[in-house]
Amino acid sequence: MTDDATDRDAAGVVAFAYEMGVLKRLRRAGWWHVGVRDPESVAEHSLRVAQLAALIASEEGGDPARAAYLGMWHDSQETRIGDIPHSAKPYMDVASNERITEDQVSVLPEAAAKSIREAVTEYEAAETIEARCAKDADRLECLMQAVEYGEAGYKRVTGWIESSRARIQTDFGRRLAEAALQTSPLAWRDR
């Protein structure tokens, strides 16, 4: 039998998980600018960010699990504010990701809430190798998605490629960006 506090903790985690489920339906809005009718969801983006963050961290001497964890939470705030394209951000006064996360995790048991708050704070500060790897993974994932949309026939994706590429900081991240620009998105099928 459980007590009321345990039931509240469980209910809080479930409510939070339902909120995170919104990311599966929330589309990455910037891609509408180039005509993509059904762009990737924030959750789809975040999955590949977490995967890439782990791989970059492995090569950069960081903790792959920590980098993946940071990548997993990097856009979780978008359940509350939506995916705001970079072109709209100068016109918006939006709370910080740390502030939004604080509200989101208020229903969680303290250990879980603390884990997510610390991950978001670390990601945003970008002072650790894991955070830098996760940020590079976010940029690399955007670059790769632009390449994939370009291959699918969407035009004017070059801006996403160039801006993402220019902001990648780690050596391995830069190497991956160069490889992504020279490798077909279907190259894996030929192996």
Side-chain angles (χ1 to χ4, degrees):
M1 184 137 192
T2 59
D3 61 19
D4 289 340
T6 303
D7 286 345
R8 276 193 307 276
D9 288 350
V13 169
V14 168
F16 181 74
Y18 279 136
E19 179 178 351
M20 292 301 105
V22 170
L23 297 174
K24 296 191 300 183
R25 298 181 297 280
L26 183 63
R27 298 292 164 201
R28 304 242 314 145
W31 296 118
W32 287 324
H33 294 183
V34 295
V36 178
R37 288 182 176 263
D38 188 26
E40 67 176 335
S41 71
V42 174
E44 290 166 327
H45 164 72
S46 294
L47 171 64
R48 191 157 62 175
V49 168
Q51 293 166 333
L52 288 166
L55 297 172
I56 295 169
S58 293
E59 294 298 318
E60 290 288 326
D63 177 357
R66 182 67 182 170
Y69 193 70
L70 301 179
M72 182 173 60
W73 296 112
H74 86 285
D75 278 342
S76 59
Q77 307 78 19
E78 292 181 9
T79 62
R80 304 272 172 117
I81 60 170
D83 180 59
I84 302 168
H86 288 286
S87 60
K89 287 184 180 184
Y91 306 101
M92 315 235 2
D93 185 21
V94 178
S96 70
N97 284 344
E98 295 92 337
R99 172 71 177 94
I100 296 166
T101 299
E102 187 67 38
D103 285 347
Q104 287 176 312
V105 302
S106 66
V107 300
L108 295 177
E110 184 49 35
K114 182 178 186 257
S115 176
I116 296 169
R117 279 193 309 265
E118 288 176 352
V120 170
T121 298
E122 182 179 345
Y123 178 84
E124 294 299 329
E127 293 174 355
T128 65
I129 186 63
E130 291 81 8
R132 288 189 298 276
C133 291
K135 283 195 172 277
D136 276 4
D138 182 33
R139 296 162 182 147
L140 181 61
E141 200 290 324
C142 185
L143 179 149
M144 293 176 72
Q145 188 62 66
V147 168
E148 289 170 331
Y149 284 145
E151 289 272 325
Y154 293 99
K155 300 188 183 328
R156 298 180 305 276
V157 297
T158 305
W160 277 267
I161 292 170
E162 290 173 357
S163 66
S164 296
R165 184 181 182 191
R167 294 172 58 217
I168 294 174
Q169 297 179 0
T170 61
D171 290 335
F172 195 63
R174 285 192 289 271
R175 288 174 48 207
L176 292 175
E178 295 308 312
L181 295 173
Q182 309 216 2
T183 305
S184 165
L186 294 178
W188 62 272
R189 293 181 60 174
D190 298 332
R191 293 186 155 179

